[in-house]
Amino acid sequence: MTNEQTTAADLGVATRVIPCLDVQGGKVVKGVNFENLREMGDPVELARDYYEQGADELTFLDVGASVEQRDTMYDVVRRTAEQVFIPLTVGGGVRSVDDVARLQEVGADKVGVNSAGIARPGLLDEIADRYGAQCLVLSLDIKRSARTASGFVVTTHGGRRETDLDALDWAREAIDRGAGELLVNSIDADGTKDGFDLELIGLVRELS
């Protein structure tokens, strides 16, 4: 069976619709391979549209928070939670358990952690211990690389900085530390409209 013929069902994945909206400067943005970002609209309005069309969950990723060393978009989360009544995951700029508390106060159900977890892996343990694995989503911005055993490497700061971490090794460690979900973002496939990186998805699935 070729990759082109492989489906979510073949991988044993339950099909759920979870739009993931990248937000920067208060606007939803979209690019190709995490570059040349273009504004696509208001995050609250787009979240409401997806909700009304039957999305199962929603994810907001503040793609500039780590790079700009600032907090995430609390006001956007609050306004979205007032209009959208499905689980909401928010990532970007989450550096402490206090950040998780603030996000929950404004309506987030789960938090996504990427750069801060790589810089200090113990953060994953702290969030999982206090709020439970169901609250903790490990966000993985992954690209292909010949430098790692799996052929995939983890990046940080919105894909701008390449680490020395093998993507599968880091995902396995995060699960051991309490991550309840993995949000796998393929930089190579992002925005290309060529379909999912099914090889990457299959390898990650084998970890669970």
Side-chain angles (χ1 to χ4, degrees):
M1 178 178 291
T2 67
N3 278 349
E4 289 76 9
Q5 296 170 322
T6 306
T7 66
D10 296 319
L11 293 171
V13 180
T15 302
R16 304 182 72 239
V17 178
I18 307 176
C20 183
L21 305 179
D22 293 341
V23 180
Q24 182 171 274
K27 297 292 185 180
V28 173
V29 294
K30 188 59 187 171
V32 178
N33 307 130
F34 283 35
E35 296 180 346
N36 302 315
L37 300 180
R38 297 176 293 112
E39 291 188 2
M40 304 301 292
D42 179 77
V44 180
E45 292 180 2
L46 287 171
R48 185 175 60 245
D49 288 344
Y50 281 123
Y51 167 63
E52 292 174 349
Q53 293 173 40
D56 295 294
E57 299 187 24
L58 282 168
T59 296
F60 278 148
L61 296 180
D62 189 333
V63 296
S66 293
V67 176
E68 299 163 14
Q69 288 293 301
R70 60 169 172 77
D71 293 336
T72 194
M73 45 189 178
Y74 295 106
D75 181 60
V76 169
V77 176
R78 179 185 293 106
R79 290 188 289 121
T80 300
E82 291 172 350
Q83 303 180 45
V84 173
F85 306 103
I86 52 178
L88 176 61
T89 299
V90 181
V94 176
R95 304 181 185 89
S96 70
V97 291
D98 290 337
D99 292 333
V100 179
R102 290 183 63 188
L103 282 169
Q104 288 194 332
E105 288 172 1
V106 296
D109 298 285
K110 295 179 277 189
V111 297
V113 177
N114 184 357
S115 300
I118 292 172
R120 188 170 70 84
L123 175 62
L124 303 181
D125 301 82
E126 294 169 9
I127 295 173
D129 289 345
R130 181 173 297 188
Y131 297 102
Q134 78 284 347
C135 177
L136 177 57
V137 179
L138 180 72
S139 182
L140 295 153
D141 294 336
I142 296 173
K143 64 189 302 183
R144 290 177 178 271
S145 173
R147 297 191 300 108
T148 63
S150 70
F152 295 94
V153 69
V154 176
T155 69
T156 65
H157 297 80
R160 294 171 177 84
R161 300 183 188 178
E162 190 171 314
T163 72
D164 293 322
L165 291 173
D166 185 295
L168 298 187
D169 290 344
W170 172 234
R172 188 179 295 108
E173 178 180 345
I175 292 170
D176 291 340
R177 289 180 178 275
E181 295 184 18
L182 302 177
L183 173 57
V184 180
N185 308 303
S186 169
I187 295 176
D188 302 291
D190 176 70
T192 63
K193 299 182 181 180
D194 291 331
F196 298 107
D197 189 329
L198 296 178
E199 179 187 0
L200 174 59
I201 294 172
L203 290 172
V204 172
R205 281 286 296 170
E206 292 176 2
L207 300 176
S208 60

